[in-house]
Amino acid sequence: MAACPHVSSTRLSVPSPTAQIYKDECTFCYDSPDNEGGLDVCLTCYNGGCTDSERYHNIQHYTKSGHSLALNIKRVKIQKEPRNAEEPPQKITKIAIVPENDADLYEYFTQVKCYDCGGIEIEQTGNIPKVVEAIMSSLSASRQSEIKAWEEEITSCDHIRKLQQDAAKAVSAENAHCANCDLNENLWLCLVCGNLGCGRQQFGGTGGNGHGLAHFDATGHGVACKLGTITPEGTADIYCYHCNEERSDDQLGAHLAHFGIKVETQQKSIKSLTELALEQNQNFNFNMFTEDGKSFEPLFGPGYTGFKNLGNSCYMASVLQSVFDLPAFVSRYYPVDVNHLQTCSQDPGKCLQCQLSKVADGLLSGRYATPVIADNGDVQGQDGIAPGMFKALIGKDHPEFSTMRQQDSFEFFQHLIKIVSQNERTTGRDPTKTFEFSNEQRLQCNDCKKVRYSHDSTTAVSIAVPATKKGTSADGEDEYESVTLEQCLNTYIQEETLPYNCPSCQKNTTATKTTASPHSLKCWWSTCADSPTRTGCPESSLSQLLYPRVVLISKSTVDMDSRPTKSLYQRMLQEQDRHHLDQPLTRPLWSSSR
């Protein structure tokens, strides 16, 4: 380990609790501290760069920014010792979901290195130890985004806004314990009287005898703050027992000062309720089974990479998997444009092209679709990738997609192509053009028989699904007739009579509106389904494209003539699609969340 002359000339500052620190994965790819060389985190701007010998995204960042000092983080999974078969199993004393944290699962190794000195490890002098400690103890940028998305649903209430506090008194948050037992963890401070009570029993696997709830039952004091979650920014876990909901408190600083606690001196020391909820959601085991109960066969290699669950993120995963199977998106974002990486002036975590290229590389390279081998030698599928940076970026400032709530796949698809199209406006390489086509409509006056044509530019065809009730099941559920794709197409192209003020014959009459003839559209569909090149597709009213990429299938509520009332299914149509018109629609490729 050598002394570095560049430390004294580099201005380093300790990152604040809200600083964006990319320590979970590289900003240009999905390599992480788990990879062999670890991850380099810039000590100046906190960018994360991989150390892969073929990519060297850490060196690219150094070359572009001139930031020479970096913290290398390596993470190694702790191998659990197998239990002796002769030992009796541990006695179960309570039922609880015990969340595992990184300290229980991994061992971390860190070193500071200087690129100006050839990338060697250097002594940690000056302000470096404080910066390193802050980076390692802080929440990563991706985790901050996830927590913020969950917290956007937490609001205040009148019980907090109109809170009446008893006489002021000093309460020490250090070495504190429950007023009714000896527990010194999971403690809740009553913001009315200052009583300390332990949390509910086994909540999140932590200790608790429910004395905080018992205090509310006895006194009616319903607002409490969890010690250990208070931050200098004035945030903390707040719970309203009246509402039985987690809440926020805009006046938390003043409410805590009433008991002698200054928020600016507090440091968060335990996981908040939001972090625990997020952790349980992400760690949920989404087993994949076929209809007969058998597990899906895992696939590996280029083009077979899966997405990790981010918490209600299946709508986004289905759309991304579909669009990145299209040549237009593949050719635009894969392989990664090295020139853009070297010249991009934005934070790569906030650059749409960088993140789209990162997703493309993650899905298509096969780098992250390798078998995960269990301790007993069984294959447990693959790790896949977690597009947290992309989700935070594409959903930024959107009232729905910025949250962790489940969303509709087709609505997200429309949002995605809108944002991508805007970003690619000046490049001349917009991949969303592959979805655009012109839809022709014919309007004929029923008196003078003259015809008008109109063309609408769109990216989707909305098709109603006829709902014809055939009876009731033994369970009392309504049953419906099977529907073929041809029937759905017929509802789309059928003639419609409309009131019409004809500009030619000057009469208030009716007109017949036609989208396409059933024969031409059916022939077009059948020919295109069997012809990947689509060279044999006949002309139809879908005149400019002859091959819509996306069909939105909706459900009619009464009969064959009903208008669609709600989006239920979306289906991505690709060149290799071989579905025929006479096959019943039994299951969509994309599942709607509504």
Side-chain angles (χ1 to χ4, degrees):
M1 187 182 302
C4 176
H6 305 101
V7 173
S8 58
S9 60
T10 304
R11 295 183 60 183
L12 299 179
S13 58
V14 177
S16 68
T18 58
Q20 296 284 293
I21 301 175
Y22 298 102
K23 65 176 185 177
D24 284 344
E25 66 188 22
C26 176
T27 53
F28 296 114
C29 68
Y30 290 96
D31 282 14
S32 71
D34 299 332
N35 289 80
E36 183 178 355
L39 185 76
D40 282 1
V41 178
C42 176
L43 293 184
T44 303
C45 66
Y46 318 123
N47 178 76
C50 70
T51 59
D52 180 71
S53 58
E54 296 180 356
R55 302 185 176 210
Y56 281 126
H57 290 145
N58 56 343
I59 302 299
Q60 285 187 12
H61 174 73
Y62 158 64
T63 304
K64 185 170 63 174
S65 66
H67 300 163
S68 60
L69 301 180
L71 172 66
N72 180 261
I73 305 175
K74 293 181 182 179
R75 192 172 71 168
V76 179
K77 192 169 185 178
I78 298 175
Q79 298 295 326
K80 296 182 179 179
E81 295 184 5
R83 185 177 63 85
N84 191 329
E86 298 179 358
E87 294 180 1
Q90 183 178 2
K91 183 179 179 180
I92 298 176
T93 58
K94 64 180 180 181
I95 298 176
I97 299 175
V98 181
E100 293 182 298
N101 54 46
D102 284 353
D104 299 326
L105 300 175
Y106 300 96
E107 185 176 2
Y108 285 84
F109 301 91
T110 62
Q111 65 177 26
V112 176
K113 58 186 182 181
C114 175
Y115 298 127
D116 283 342
C117 294
I120 62 172
E121 182 179 3
I122 62 172
E123 294 181 2
Q124 297 189 26
T125 58
N127 205 29
I128 290 181
K130 292 182 179 180
V131 176
V132 170
E133 182 181 2
I135 289 175
M136 295 303 297
S137 61
S138 67
L139 290 174
S140 66
S142 59
R143 184 49 62 102
Q144 285 186 33
S145 298
E146 292 161 356
I147 292 172
K148 181 181 178 182
W150 281 88
E151 288 178 337
E152 286 179 353
E153 300 182 38
I154 301 175
T155 60
S156 187
C157 66
D158 285 342
H159 304 108
I160 296 175
R161 287 188 286 265
K162 300 177 181 179
L163 183 67
Q164 298 293 322
Q165 295 182 285
D166 290 352
K169 67 176 184 180
V171 176
S172 176
E174 296 182 3
N175 302 319
H177 64 84
C178 176
N180 299 96
C181 67
D182 295 329
L183 284 179
N184 58 4
E185 62 177 358
N186 192 18
L187 297 180
W188 292 80
L189 171 69
C190 174
L191 293 182
V192 177
C193 67
N195 177 77
L196 284 176
C198 56
R200 304 188 193 195
Q201 297 181 29
Q202 291 91 43
F203 181 83
T206 58
N209 294 313
H211 289 136
L213 177 60
H215 175 73
F216 163 67
D217 292 335
T219 64
H221 299 170
V223 182
C225 172
K226 189 175 183 180
L227 298 185
T229 65
I230 306 170
T231 68
E233 289 72 36
T235 63
D237 279 351
I238 305 295
Y239 201 85
C240 177
Y241 289 104
H242 295 293
C243 303
N244 199 24
E245 293 283 353
E246 187 178 356
R247 295 297 188 187
S248 62
D249 183 1
D250 296 335
Q251 301 297 320
L252 181 62
H255 290 157
L256 290 176
H258 192 75
F259 301 110
I261 299 176
K262 298 180 180 180
V263 295
E264 58 269 18
T265 64
Q266 299 298 304
Q267 291 295 328
K268 182 173 173 292
S269 58
I270 61 176
K271 290 182 180 179
S272 65
L273 295 178
T274 301
E275 291 175 79
L276 291 172
L278 178 61
E279 187 175 71
Q280 291 299 328
N281 193 298
Q282 291 182 327
N283 291 337
F284 187 83
N285 184 21
F286 289 93
N287 290 317
M288 295 182 292
F289 298 104
T290 59
E291 292 180 353
D292 57 2
K294 296 180 180 179
S295 298
F296 282 117
E297 180 183 353
L299 299 175
F300 308 101
Y304 293 114
T305 307
F307 283 113
K308 292 181 181 178
N309 172 44
L310 299 178
N312 293 331
S313 59
C314 60
Y315 70 92
M316 180 182 70
S318 63
V319 172
L320 291 179
Q321 289 282 14
S322 296
V323 299
F324 277 105
D325 198 39
L326 296 174
F329 273 78
V330 174
S331 61
R332 175 65 183 97
Y333 300 113
Y334 184 79
V336 175
D337 186 349
V338 177
N339 181 62
H340 174 78
L341 298 186
Q342 294 174 343
T343 59
C344 179
S345 60
Q346 299 183 65
D347 176 344
K350 299 176 182 177
C351 171
L352 185 60
Q353 182 172 337
C354 287
Q355 291 308 306
L356 283 168
S357 298
K358 177 177 175 177
V359 171
D361 177 74
L363 288 177
L364 304 173
S365 66
R367 183 179 178 86
Y368 309 101
T370 56
V372 175
I373 309 299
D375 295 336
N376 60 3
D378 292 341
V379 177
Q380 294 184 323
Q382 56 172 264
D383 278 338
I385 58 176
M389 287 186 201
F390 175 81
K391 184 179 185 299
L393 180 61
I394 199 69
K396 189 177 186 304
D397 298 328
H398 191 281
E400 292 297 330
F401 302 128
S402 62
T403 72
M404 299 298 281
R405 294 188 293 266
Q406 185 60 276
Q407 306 297 335
D408 183 84
S409 297
F410 186 69
E411 290 177 5
F412 177 75
F413 167 75
Q414 291 178 307
H415 174 70
L416 174 67
I417 61 174
K418 174 185 175 182
I419 298 300
V420 172
S421 179
Q422 291 174 347
N423 190 70
E424 298 281 3
R425 186 173 299 165
T426 60
T427 65
R429 303 177 62 190
D430 182 4
T432 68
K433 295 293 184 182
T434 191
F435 297 111
E436 294 181 1
F437 64 96
S438 178
N439 191 14
E440 181 183 276
Q441 292 184 341
R442 180 180 185 272
L443 196 64
Q444 183 176 34
C445 175
N446 290 330
D447 277 353
C448 67
K449 304 303 181 182
K450 291 192 175 180
V451 178
R452 298 183 67 182
Y453 291 91
S454 63
H455 296 83
D456 299 321
S457 180
T458 185
T459 57
V461 175
S462 182
I463 299 177
V465 178
T468 306
K469 186 176 178 180
K470 68 177 182 180
T472 305
S473 67
D475 299 330
E477 298 290 334
D478 291 340
E479 293 184 342
Y480 295 87
E481 299 286 351
S482 297
V483 181
T484 66
L485 183 55
E486 182 178 11
Q487 289 176 287
C488 298
L489 289 173
N490 285 336
T491 65
Y492 176 71
I493 60 179
Q494 66 185 357
E495 293 184 350
E496 183 180 3
T497 301
L498 304 172
Y500 186 54
N501 186 2
C502 181
S504 179
C505 64
Q506 302 295 315
K507 292 182 180 180
N508 288 323
T509 179
T510 59
T512 301
K513 177 183 175 183
T514 308
T515 299
S517 69
H519 175 73
S520 63
L521 187 55
K522 178 179 177 179
C523 291
W524 160 80
W525 189 283
S526 300
T527 304
C528 291
D530 292 327
S531 175
T533 62
R534 306 193 303 279
T535 55
C537 296
E539 290 291 333
S540 74
S541 67
L542 301 173
S543 56
Q544 300 303 312
L545 183 70
L546 298 181
Y547 195 74
R549 295 285 190 181
V550 178
V551 172
L552 169 62
I553 303 178
S554 304
K555 180 181 179 181
S556 300
T557 56
V558 183
D559 53 29
M560 292 287 289
D561 296 325
S562 298
R563 292 180 178 273
T565 59
K566 189 175 182 181
S567 300
L568 289 184
Y569 309 130
Q570 296 89 32
R571 182 179 182 81
M572 179 66 68
L573 303 176
Q574 301 175 22
E575 281 84 343
Q576 66 269 29
D577 197 339
R578 296 294 184 270
H579 291 287
H580 295 288
L581 292 172
D582 58 349
Q583 296 300 312
L585 291 174
T586 58
R587 188 170 61 244
L589 179 63
W590 291 357
S591 296
S592 172
S593 62
R594 296 183 177 179

